[in-house]
């Protein structure tokens, strides 16, 4: 009896290590975004040498903190084949609650209550998606509209100044060697590292990918699909609270009209970072690169004296180019 | 039980299973017997209720009536996890794998191994080296020539994916392995590989339930053939006693089974 073996690839065994390494790099989902980031940095440095100064790099990071943190939550949700249009609105409501309560009851109560509010709103999204089986786009479109309006009702078209060391802590500067940055930037990297670890190194992370990639197979494999999806929305609430805190660190003034487009900006960062909107593919490292690309683009164009509306056009073009290039590379290498 | 002395003991048995969906009766008093160490083919026309029967045995569907026994012991499966806990693994026809995840992660999906000590208990870190090693061993044992268990399942051919799904079942199924149309989506060569896999698993002493439409495959590997018709077992056939066309005739109701066959076979 012959025992057939399933040979792995039709490529000849003589493929050199160099070729294999090259194909692995090309196949990597981070290839396009990393290349784009490096190219953008080089181009802007050539245009304006000020761009690469440590002070300016630090500024780019500080400007990226709030969207960068929220984009982690967006990545987790998109990996489950969901989408969260309300994530920015939840964070803005977080800033209002935090500022208002801090004024009356002090920072500790304010942070605790903000965490509760953000987690409740995230859980509400998750519950509507899992229990009522409604499409995440519809659910979060609804909660986005409602939460944004509730925030304005709560604020009464006012803005709220915060003071106190804890409330603005994430805006404090810290020196790492000769590089000066803020605790907010460090907080952003911590969020990325923690979520990156959870996604790549734990069973929970595997389940997030499985639920987004093939929910039927995940269920049959014994993955608790609903619980996994719900957990992602709950975590996004926690992340929204951290983003709200970081926002007050950057500008110690809670404004109900701030971060209007945060939901779309986080989706932009996620998509540029190579995470698939269909779920199950991508990761937070790509999102970090995506966030930095947007930050670099805006900062570099500003230094080059380009109007902010043109910056928006550039960002819009970038999203489409990023996905097109990604699709092209993937289509060429993996099928 | 009324088995004769020389028949091997039963690994999995069902009596009088009923499952209704509204006014539709998917399983209508079905019986089922799987002996230890055998390959039992389950055949039937479309809509005969094969899939519902298999789902009930795999815990994916809870029957309205009837009883299921594993090794002679009555069991009540509420979900697939209950069946898996009794060593019953199922390979579904739509290739239940996660395309973007690597082979080792797919093999261990839903029962991941964590590291020992602080990394595992507090940080809940996966023990990928252990899972990769064990996954490689499983694939080798089943003679599935995959060089690296780190590659994503989507980079594999259809036959190799099915190989991964079967390996997962074989890795954990120490009682029964159920395969629902494992060759339906595959080409001729890859189907042959899956048939060889089934033989390898049987040679390990694990009984296999093979649901298939492919008569040549069924006659190649099956020790007995369970013919399902109108939501119940119509006959159990000894493939050495009947031809393929006779079995097809039994399946469609054009021919009547002998009393012995209708009573569950010899």
């Amino acid at each position: 009896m012959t025992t057939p073996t399933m040979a792995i690839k039709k490529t000849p065994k003589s493929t050199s290590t160099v070729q294999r390494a090259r194909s692995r790099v090309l196949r990597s989902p981070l290839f396009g975004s990393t290349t784009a980031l490096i190219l953008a940095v080089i181009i802007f440095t050539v245009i304006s040498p000020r761009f690469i100064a440590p002070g300016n790099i630090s500024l780019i990071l500080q400007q990226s903190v709030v969207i960068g943190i929220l984009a982690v939550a967006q990545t987790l949700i998109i990996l489950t084949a969901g989408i969260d249009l309300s994530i920015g609105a939840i964070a803005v409501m977080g800033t209002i609650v935090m500022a208002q309560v801090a004024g009356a009851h002090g920072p500790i109560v304010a942070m605790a209550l903000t965490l509760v509010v953000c987690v409740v709103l995230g859980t509400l999204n998750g519950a509507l998606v899992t229990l009522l089986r409604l499409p995440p786009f519809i659910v979060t479109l609804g909660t986005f509209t409602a939460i944004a309006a509730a925030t304005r009702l709560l604020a009464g078209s006012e803005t709220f100044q915060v003071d106190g060391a804890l409330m603005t802590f994430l805006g404090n500067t810290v020196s790492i060697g000769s590089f000066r940055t803020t605790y907010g930037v460090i907080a952003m990297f911590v969020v990325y590292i923690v979520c990156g670890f959870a996604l790549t190194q734990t069973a929970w992370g595997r389940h997030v990918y499985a639920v987004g990639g093939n929910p039927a197979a995940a269920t049959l494999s014994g993955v608790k699909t609903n619980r996994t999806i719900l957990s992602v929305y709950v975590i996004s609430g926690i992340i929204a609270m951290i983003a709200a805190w970081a926002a007050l660190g950057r500008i110690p003034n809670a404004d109900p009209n701030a971060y209007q487009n945060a939901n779309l900006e986080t989706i932009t960062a996620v998509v540029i970072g190579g995470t698939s909107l269909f779920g199950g593919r991508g990761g937070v490292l790509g999102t970090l690169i995506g966030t930095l690309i947007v930050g670099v683009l805006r900062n570099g164009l500003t230094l080059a004296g380009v109007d902010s509306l043109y910056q928006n056009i550039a960002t819009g073009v970038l999203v489409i180019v990023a996905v097109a290039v990604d699709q092209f590379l993937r289509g060429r290498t993996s099928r | 039980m009324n088995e004769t002395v020389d028949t091997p003991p039963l690994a999995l048995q069902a009596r009088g299973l009923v499952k209704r969906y509204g006014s539709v009766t998917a399983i209508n008093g079905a019986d089922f017997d799987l002996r230890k160490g055998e390959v039992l083919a389950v055949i039937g026309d479309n809509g005969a209720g094969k899939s519902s029967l298999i789902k009930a045995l795999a815990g994916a569907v809870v029957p309205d009536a009837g009883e299921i026994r594993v090794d002679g012991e009555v069991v009540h499966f509420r979900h697939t996890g209950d069946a898996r806990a009794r060593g019953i693994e199922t390979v579904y026809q739509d290739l239940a794998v996660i395309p973007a995840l690597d082979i080792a992660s797919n093999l261990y999906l839903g029962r991941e191994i964590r590291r020992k000590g602080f990394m595992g208990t507090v940080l809940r870190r996966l023990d990928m080296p252990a899972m990769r090693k064990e996954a490689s061993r499983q694939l080798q044992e089943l003679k599935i020539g995959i060089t690296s268990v780190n590659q994503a399942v989507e980079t594999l051919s259809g036959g190799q994916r099915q190989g991964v799904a079967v390996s997962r079942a074989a890795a954990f199924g120490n009682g029964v392995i159920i395969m629902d149309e494992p060759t339906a989506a595959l080409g001729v060569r890859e189907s042959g590989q899956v048939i060889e896999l089934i033989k390898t698993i049987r040679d390990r002493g694990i009984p296999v339930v093979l649901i298939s439409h492919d008569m040549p495959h069924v006659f190649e590997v099956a020790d007995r053939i369970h013919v399902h018709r109108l939501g119940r077992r119509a006959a159990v056939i000894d493939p050495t006693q009947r031809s393929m066309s006779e079995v097809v005739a039994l399946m469609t109701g054009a021919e009547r089974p002998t009393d012995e066959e209708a009573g569950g076979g010899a």
Side-chain angles (χ1 to χ4, degrees):
Chain A
M1 189 182 2
T2 52
T3 50
T5 53
M6 303 181 191
I8 175 57
K9 255 183 280 172
K10 291 196 179 69
T11 43
K13 279 260 154 52
S14 60
T15 333
S16 72
T17 354
V18 179
Q19 269 176 314
R20 229 176 301 140
R22 191 168 61 187
S23 105
R24 191 179 300 168
V25 169
L26 276 174
R27 202 186 290 251
S28 160
L30 296 178
F31 172 72
S33 49
T34 314
T35 313
L37 180 60
I38 294 167
L39 278 178
V41 170
I42 292 171
I43 291 167
F44 287 126
T45 309
V46 170
I47 294 172
S48 165
R50 267 190 303 158
F51 175 82
I52 203 73
N56 190 54
I57 299 297
S58 175
L59 180 66
I60 294 172
L61 290 173
Q62 290 173 45
Q63 286 167 339
S64 304
V65 162
V66 176
I67 297 301
I69 291 173
L70 289 176
V72 175
Q74 191 69 268
T75 310
L76 296 178
I77 289 170
I78 288 179
L79 281 176
T80 66
I83 196 147
D84 190 350
L85 298 175
S86 69
I87 188 74
I90 294 176
V92 172
M93 176 170 258
T95 62
I96 300 292
V97 170
M98 209 182 274
Q100 281 188 337
V101 177
H105 303 285
I108 303 287
V109 179
M111 290 182 63
L113 196 64
T114 307
L115 182 63
V116 170
V117 168
C118 291
V119 167
V120 164
L121 293 174
T123 308
L124 173 69
N125 281 335
L128 290 170
V129 168
T130 54
L131 299 181
L132 297 186
R133 306 198 171 281
L134 296 171
F137 185 94
I138 303 299
V139 167
T140 58
L141 180 64
T143 52
F144 162 64
T145 312
I147 292 168
T151 303
R152 291 203 182 96
L153 286 174
L154 196 64
S157 75
E158 272 180 71
T159 65
F160 300 86
Q161 197 79 28
V162 287
D163 42 28
L166 189 58
M167 284 293 82
T168 57
F169 171 76
L170 292 183
N172 292 355
T173 55
V174 56
S175 292
I176 302 166
S178 59
F179 187 72
R180 287 173 62 78
T181 186
T182 63
Y183 284 107
V185 171
I186 293 172
M188 175 177 79
F189 281 112
V190 169
V191 171
Y192 273 94
I193 290 166
V194 169
C195 291
F197 178 89
L199 270 183
T200 58
Q201 301 295 322
T202 71
W204 174 82
R206 290 290 189 283
H207 296 175
V208 169
Y209 282 97
V211 161
N214 188 347
T219 310
L220 291 174
S221 302
V223 173
K224 296 193 169 62
T225 319
N226 272 355
R227 195 194 285 181
T228 305
I229 294 175
L230 185 62
S231 73
V232 160
Y233 285 90
V234 173
I235 291 166
S236 80
I238 299 171
I239 294 174
M241 178 269 173
I242 298 170
W245 189 24
L248 290 181
R250 241 189 97 55
I251 301 162
N253 191 25
D255 179 356
N257 295 313
Y259 299 105
Q260 293 275 305
N261 292 322
N263 51 1
L264 301 181
E265 285 172 42
T266 56
I267 295 168
T268 302
V270 172
V271 166
I272 292 176
T275 294
S276 165
L277 283 178
F278 299 107
R281 249 172 251 279
V284 292
L285 185 55
T287 301
L288 180 61
I289 294 169
T291 305
L292 294 179
I293 288 176
V294 175
V296 161
L297 196 68
R298 288 196 172 278
N299 177 281
L301 291 174
T302 307
L303 283 182
V306 176
D307 184 85
S308 74
L309 288 178
Y310 288 104
Q311 295 177 16
N312 289 350
I313 293 175
T315 312
V317 170
L318 185 64
V319 172
I320 295 168
V321 170
V323 175
V325 168
D326 189 53
Q327 213 166 55
F328 172 72
L329 285 175
R330 198 161 284 166
R332 203 182 51 185
T333 55
S334 82
R335 284 263 159 210
Chain B
M1 275 174 277
N2 57 356
E3 300 295 331
T4 49
V5 199
D6 56 341
T7 53
L10 294 170
L12 185 60
Q13 185 184 34
R15 285 290 173 268
L17 288 186
V18 175
K19 179 69 190 178
R20 293 189 190 88
Y21 297 99
S23 61
V24 180
T25 305
I27 317 177
N28 187 15
D31 295 340
F32 178 87
D33 295 292
L34 175 69
R35 294 173 185 168
K36 289 193 169 162
E38 75 169 347
V39 175
L40 176 74
V42 176
I43 63 166
D45 225 343
N46 289 332
K50 301 187 297 282
S51 286
S52 298
L53 170 70
I54 287 330
K55 280 183 177 154
L57 296 175
V61 153
V62 181
D64 300 326
E67 69 170 28
I68 298 173
R69 287 168 183 265
V70 176
D71 292 330
E73 192 185 319
V74 177
V75 290
H76 299 281
F77 296 150
R78 299 265 150 244
H79 49 81
T80 52
D82 289 346
R84 278 209 303 250
R86 297 300 305 248
I88 300 171
E89 287 286 328
T90 310
V91 180
Y92 293 94
Q93 64 177 348
D94 45 1
L95 307 169
V97 287
I98 313 297
L101 285 184
D102 61 279
I103 294 169
S105 297
N106 262 290
L107 231 64
Y108 279 92
L109 189 64
R111 47 194 153 203
E112 292 82 356
I113 303 173
R114 266 191 253 139
R115 284 187 197 237
K116 292 186 174 65
F118 176 79
M119 284 308 269
T121 49
V122 181
L123 298 182
R124 310 184 80 79
R125 188 165 180 206
L126 293 173
D127 194 347
M128 278 316 286
M131 291 196 280
R132 289 198 190 105
K133 203 173 140 214
E134 185 58 23
S136 293
R137 200 183 63 75
Q138 278 294 335
L139 294 178
Q140 256 167 24
E141 209 164 282
L142 294 177
K143 303 186 188 87
I144 300 167
I146 289 175
T147 47
S148 164
V149 292
N150 297 332
Q151 55 189 325
V153 167
E154 65 195 339
T155 64
L156 304 177
S157 70
Q160 288 175 327
R161 289 188 201 196
Q162 194 61 267
V164 170
V166 173
S167 302
R168 175 166 66 191
F172 299 99
N174 46 18
V176 175
I177 294 181
I178 300 171
M179 298 197 204
D180 189 2
E181 306 258 7
T183 60
L186 302 181
V188 175
R189 202 177 70 89
E190 297 186 319
S191 298
Q193 290 167 338
V194 170
I195 295 302
E196 290 303 322
L197 267 178
I198 294 172
K199 289 178 184 167
T200 311
I201 291 167
R202 185 206 32 213
D203 293 346
R204 284 173 157 194
I206 299 168
V208 176
V209 180
L210 169 68
I211 298 99
S212 184
H213 271 117
D214 191 313
M215 284 302 155
H217 284 158
V218 165
F219 272 76
E220 187 183 346
V221 289
D223 297 307
R224 297 188 307 146
I225 303 170
H226 169 133
V227 180
H228 213 70
R229 199 172 120 70
L230 305 174
R232 61 201 304 176
R233 180 168 73 181
V236 176
I237 307 296
D238 179 348
T240 60
Q241 302 299 315
R242 292 279 203 168
S243 71
M244 284 189 207
S245 54
E246 283 175 326
V247 171
V248 171
L250 285 165
M251 195 173 99
T252 55
E255 190 168 321
R256 299 205 150 272
T258 65
D259 288 347
E260 191 187 30
E261 284 168 347

